[in-house]
Amino acid sequence: IINSFSIYPNPTNNVWTVFSKNQTINSIAVYNVLGKRVISLQPNALSATIDASNLASGIYFTNINTASGIVSKKLIKN
């Protein structure tokens, strides 16, 4: 299921868009490098927008949860 997701633009200045070809996205959690959850969404859709405008520049990690499992991706905020 890893290849069924796109996250763009990455790196971003303000917003990441998460798109799935065929998996409903149940939830999205974004974590900073210390492991603290900084964003939590429950889109229940094939796509979602993550607003990063209030996050500091740096590296973040996201867990995208679907019925088929969890996919983790690295996100970069400019």
Side-chain angles (χ1 to χ4, degrees):
I1 69 170
I2 258 181
N3 293 329
S4 65
F5 289 97
S6 321
I7 300 178
Y8 55 89
N10 194 17
T12 190
N13 291 322
N14 291 311
V15 174
W16 290 290
T17 299
V18 181
F19 177 77
S20 172
K21 294 176 189 158
N22 53 12
Q23 301 276 328
T24 297
I25 301 166
N26 296 327
S27 65
I28 298 172
V30 178
Y31 300 90
N32 65 17
V33 291
L34 301 176
K36 180 183 176 199
R37 186 171 61 208
V38 293
I39 296 176
S40 187
L41 303 171
Q42 299 194 339
N44 293 316
L46 291 177
S47 65
T49 301
I50 303 171
D51 181 1
S53 58
N54 61 346
L55 297 179
S57 296
I59 296 174
Y60 295 86
F61 299 93
T62 184
N63 286 346
I64 304 166
N65 191 344
T66 71
S68 301
I70 297 174
V71 174
S72 296
K73 298 271 190 178
K74 181 167 84 170
L75 303 174
I76 299 171
K77 166 83 186 319
N78 286 336

